[in-house]
Amino acid sequence: MSNKALTDAILHMAKVGGWEVDFQANTVYWTDETYRLHDLSPGEFTPDLDAVLEFYAPESVPIITAAMKHAKETGEGYDLVLELITAKQRRIWVRAYATAQVEDGEVVKVLSLIHISEP
């Protein structure tokens, strides 16, 4: 088994996904497990920041929005527990840890780990 296949299998068993917001390219990248956590597959959805926010419960949207804004402005990460509504309308609680990638004093990306959590 390759290192990538092993890593993917372990992340799937642990229900741990990852995503990246690239502010320079204005793109969002999800790992395969992040798609699975959202009850989606890579071929049926292309994430962008606005579309991703629509998966969060209304009361969680201002929290993740403020955290992303703060990370982009300060370079500080976050650790949040949020309610997510999947494509199949399942309501799950997720924990999101994030760190900002800074180049030449500017935040260029936010990298996040996401996994199912208890509220």
Side-chain angles (χ1 to χ4, degrees):
M1 181 178 282
S2 72
N3 283 341
K4 181 178 179 347
L6 176 61
T7 301
D8 288 346
I10 291 168
L11 293 176
H12 178 65
M13 288 186 302
K15 296 186 179 355
V16 174
W19 57 286
E20 170 189 271
V21 177
D22 185 327
F23 295 113
Q24 292 179 323
N26 197 29
T27 58
V28 176
Y29 171 79
W30 279 4
T31 65
D32 289 348
E33 190 58 27
T34 300
Y35 281 99
R36 283 190 283 275
L37 289 172
H38 286 78
D39 289 332
L40 294 166
S41 64
E44 67 182 307
F45 179 76
T46 302
D48 65 55
L49 200 49
D50 291 333
V52 168
L53 291 174
E54 291 179 15
F55 284 101
Y56 289 93
E59 56 276 6
S60 292
V61 171
I63 298 166
I64 187 68
T65 302
M68 287 292 296
K69 181 179 182 210
H70 183 76
K72 185 177 181 184
E73 291 173 353
T74 67
E76 296 175 11
Y78 55 82
D79 179 356
L80 305 170
V81 175
L82 305 160
E83 187 176 15
L84 188 109
I85 304 169
T86 73
K88 294 181 179 178
Q89 300 303 304
R90 288 186 310 125
R91 288 183 169 261
I92 60 174
W93 288 92
V94 295
R95 186 153 198 178
Y97 302 94
T99 185
Q101 183 178 339
V102 180
E103 293 178 9
D104 298 323
E106 178 184 355
V107 175
V108 294
K109 294 180 182 180
V110 171
L111 310 171
S112 182
L113 174 144
I114 184 171
H115 68 88
I116 293 178
S117 180
E118 296 297 320

